[in-house]
Amino acid sequence: MSPVLATPVKQIAAGVLDVGYADVGPADGPAVVLLHGWPYDIHTFDEVSPLLAAAGYRVIVPYLRGYGTTRFLSDETFRNGQQSVLAVDTVALMDALGIEKAVVAGADWGARTADIVAALWPERCAGLVSVSGYLIGSQQAGELPLTPEAERQWWYQYYFATERGRAGYERYRREFAKLIWRTASPQWDFDDATFERSAAALDNPDHVAIVIHNYRWRIGLGDGEPQYDTLERRLAEAPVIDVPTITLEGDANGAPHPDPSSYARKFPGPHSHRTITGGIGHNLPQEAPEAFAQAVIDVNTQ
């Protein structure tokens, strides 16, 4: 059995969701919330979680909305993938679990979500570990064209902007996910069993709707919900993050990612950056679990 699932996935009502999550380590230990990205799932932290649990941490690893066993409580709720709602989900989960403060850490969508929690709710954040650093964006920023080479890296975002792309992702989500895994982590030699263990989470009935809305929203082709407008206005100002932070980057990240020098000033509090070598790609926690776990431990002592 996968280390992160040594105990069954639990379910809890939190906000608009019935969240599926793993909960490992001592219940009275300092809390860590580990957030996965797309097209990955909680198995990103298979080897990170036992390392942190052994160090005395309570480790919470939720399926994001649209993944795994996480479900909406109401069929009427809009399947929203805009950036702020994932952070609202995280805070709601912490509230439901009675966790006042936690280290928040993640990669890809999970890193962006952790960044937003740290920026908007710093009182709930004991520390931040973010792969690829500062990933908070806005629809306004998304309107700005990039260089052709940079735009090419975002091919799937433009594919998802079309109905053909939505239908294609619905039909070929496993093939699509495997392609992203390979291109984002070109030196990661994962096997079929590792991929299939995570790909099962993409069978969630809300998965395609959440993913399509997330990428359409980013470039202004999908509307968010009005109740999150205030949060998005704050995020559009690119707020600094003052909580203790360690940013990480793999030396073989094949996905679009900012240069660490471009975001260093966004972390005026205690901050350090680590480049993890050895052919480490985009899914850094699964490819370099010891380095990721050590960053979580270290940021909690800054």
Side-chain angles (χ1 to χ4, degrees):
M1 182 175 287
S2 154
V4 80
L5 299 180
T7 56
V9 171
K10 300 179 179 181
Q11 299 289 140
I12 192 169
V16 300
L17 300 173
D18 177 31
V19 179
Y21 68 101
D23 186 347
V24 299
D28 60 350
V32 180
V33 179
L34 303 179
L35 301 167
H36 70 81
W38 170 84
Y40 309 99
D41 81 325
I42 65 174
H43 295 286
T44 289
F45 303 104
D46 271 357
E47 295 181 53
V48 173
S49 295
L51 292 172
L52 293 174
Y57 289 88
R58 181 187 182 187
V59 186
I60 306 297
V61 192
Y63 283 111
L64 302 186
R65 55 171 61 198
Y67 294 80
T69 62
T70 292
R71 297 290 188 275
F72 286 86
L73 295 172
S74 171
D75 290 339
E76 305 304 313
T77 303
F78 176 58
R79 275 32 180 181
N80 186 345
Q82 73 185 100
Q83 63 176 352
S84 60
V85 299
L86 299 171
V88 170
D89 291 346
T90 303
V91 175
L93 176 62
M94 291 173 63
D95 289 344
L97 293 173
I99 296 173
E100 184 62 32
K101 202 167 191 175
V103 173
V104 288
D108 194 78
W109 287 20
R112 178 176 296 104
T113 302
D115 287 348
I116 294 170
V117 172
L120 299 185
W121 294 277
E123 72 281 1
R124 306 298 299 273
C125 188
L128 168 67
V129 175
S130 179
V131 176
S132 298
Y134 191 90
L135 298 175
I136 297 172
S138 69
Q139 286 186 314
Q140 295 92 326
E143 293 174 356
L144 298 174
L146 305 175
T147 65
E149 179 64 24
E151 295 282 20
R152 184 179 66 85
Q153 291 186 297
W154 288 104
W155 68 270
Y156 52 87
Q157 181 167 263
Y158 303 110
Y159 181 62
F160 289 160
T162 68
E163 178 56 25
R164 179 187 178 97
R166 187 210 62 77
Y169 189 55
E170 178 77 61
R171 182 173 181 178
Y172 297 112
R173 66 184 82 176
R174 270 177 165 72
E175 292 88 346
F176 204 103
K178 185 171 283 189
L179 175 62
I180 296 297
W181 278 40
R182 287 173 172 162
T183 56
S185 299
Q187 297 185 44
W188 182 27
D189 187 24
F190 59 88
D191 58 23
D192 288 342
T194 298
F195 173 76
E196 288 298 331
R197 194 162 56 234
S198 288
L202 311 185
D203 292 332
N204 182 296
D206 301 307
H207 178 72
V208 173
I210 294 296
V211 171
I212 296 300
H213 184 259
N214 176 282
Y215 285 103
R216 290 183 180 179
W217 178 88
R218 294 191 197 192
I219 55 176
L221 297 181
D223 293 330
E225 292 181 276
Q227 63 263 40
Y228 304 112
D229 286 352
T230 299
L231 296 180
E232 293 295 349
R233 281 194 293 269
R234 292 174 63 188
L235 295 174
E237 296 173 354
V240 298
I241 295 174
D242 290 317
V243 305
T245 299
I246 293 176
T247 54
L248 302 172
E249 190 58 82
D251 65 340
N253 187 354
H257 60 279
D259 186 273
S261 63
S262 71
Y263 56 71
R265 61 185 177 82
K266 288 298 183 181
F267 300 101
H271 169 238
S272 62
H273 177 78
R274 300 173 182 178
T275 297
I276 310 304
T277 60
I280 304 303
H282 191 60
N283 192 18
L284 189 148
Q286 197 163 358
E287 299 175 60
E290 295 87 357
F292 190 87
Q294 191 61 53
V296 171
I297 293 168
D298 291 346
V299 82
N300 200 42
T301 60
Q302 285 189 5

